[in-house]
Amino acid sequence: ETGVTQSPTHLIKTRGQQVTLRCSSQSGHNTVSWYQQALGQGPQFIFQYYREEENGRGNFPPRFSGLQFPNYSSELNVNALELDDSALYLCASSLESGTGGGYTFGSGTRLTVV
Amino acid sequence: KQEVTQIPAALSVPEGENLVLNCSFTDSAIYNLQWFRQDPGKGLTSLLLIQSSQREQTSGRLNASLDKSSGRSTLYIAASQPGDSATYLCAVFSGNTPLVFGKGTRLSVIA
């Protein structure tokens, strides 16, 4: 059973650019959620996808968007990058949306915006 | 709106000590609570998952308890080791809402 895999591990972008982060969910999981973690803070919910549909969104602007694919892998896209977007981005997968079976997290992507 | 608080924010103990990390949440209508470990700059490793119907879960030297009615959970670490040094996060799940995290407790175990 494979866990959650995220790529890339590190990324440096310039303000105003666009970035795409990728996540492969754990085998058998059909729900993927994305979190942003600033230094010294707990992870903040960005959005969640269940069976390729967005079914929850946190307090993030529309320039944060995502996709989930038929194999349940997912992408997080951020347009018009700002310096405050620098953070660790975490992807988590779970068995079913709302069943409370626990979440499995990936190792994260460290994004630095300069 | 669910809010999760973890106390203390940081803790430094000598090797071998038993210790308790605290987590409180404002809305007791939760499905489960999950404790995670995070090493610096790394992702989250799940330690224990407690369903709302359970009182505690144990894994090795770790024991987590849940008192849903009072909105509290504790993570007990027995015989701490330097390798336990990390940030410990608790998160609550309330159905279709996302996980809500505390800010974590940064633990240092001194050899």
Side-chain angles (χ1 to χ4, degrees), chain A residues 14-65:
Chain A
T14 302
R15 190 171 52 183
Q17 284 188 316
Q18 178 266 344
V19 68
T20 297
L21 310 182
R22 295 180 174 82
C23 172
S24 295
S25 61
Q26 181 168 312
S27 176
H29 286 185
N30 59 17
T31 302
V32 173
S33 47
W34 287 89
Y35 291 79
Q36 180 195 66
Q37 187 179 24
L39 206 59
Q41 301 295 313
Q44 298 294 313
F45 174 70
I46 303 175
F47 46 58
Q48 176 172 282
Y49 280 83
Y50 172 63
R51 295 184 176 178
E52 302 178 59
E53 296 286 332
E54 183 181 297
N55 75 337
R57 188 176 183 92
N59 189 26
F60 280 81
R63 58 189 185 83
F64 285 78
S65 63

Side-chain angles (χ1 to χ4, degrees), chain B residues 9-108:
Chain B
L11 184 62
S12 183
V13 300
E15 182 177 6
E17 255 194 32
N18 302 324
L19 55 101
V20 174
L21 308 181
N22 297 292
C23 171
S24 61
F25 45 95
T26 54
D27 185 349
S28 62
I30 66 169
Y31 277 47
N32 61 45
L33 182 146
Q34 200 164 356
W35 282 93
F36 295 90
R37 169 185 172 138
Q38 186 174 34
D39 292 298
K42 303 296 185 184
L44 307 183
T45 300
S46 180
L47 298 173
L48 291 164
L49 170 68
I50 313 177
Q51 301 294 345
S52 62
S53 58
Q54 298 173 321
R55 296 286 294 187
E56 65 180 291
Q57 282 285 332
T58 298
S59 176
R61 294 182 294 107
L62 305 179
N63 174 276
S65 67
L66 175 64
D67 184 344
K68 199 175 94 163
S69 61
S70 68
R72 293 179 185 174
S73 176
T74 61
L75 179 66
Y76 175 83
I77 303 177
S80 58
Q81 303 170 358
D84 294 331
S85 298
T87 295
Y88 291 81
L89 293 154
C90 81
V92 298
F93 177 73
S94 304
N96 288 322
T97 55
L99 282 178
V100 179
F101 284 86
K103 291 185 177 181
T105 293
R106 190 171 66 253
L107 173 66
S108 295

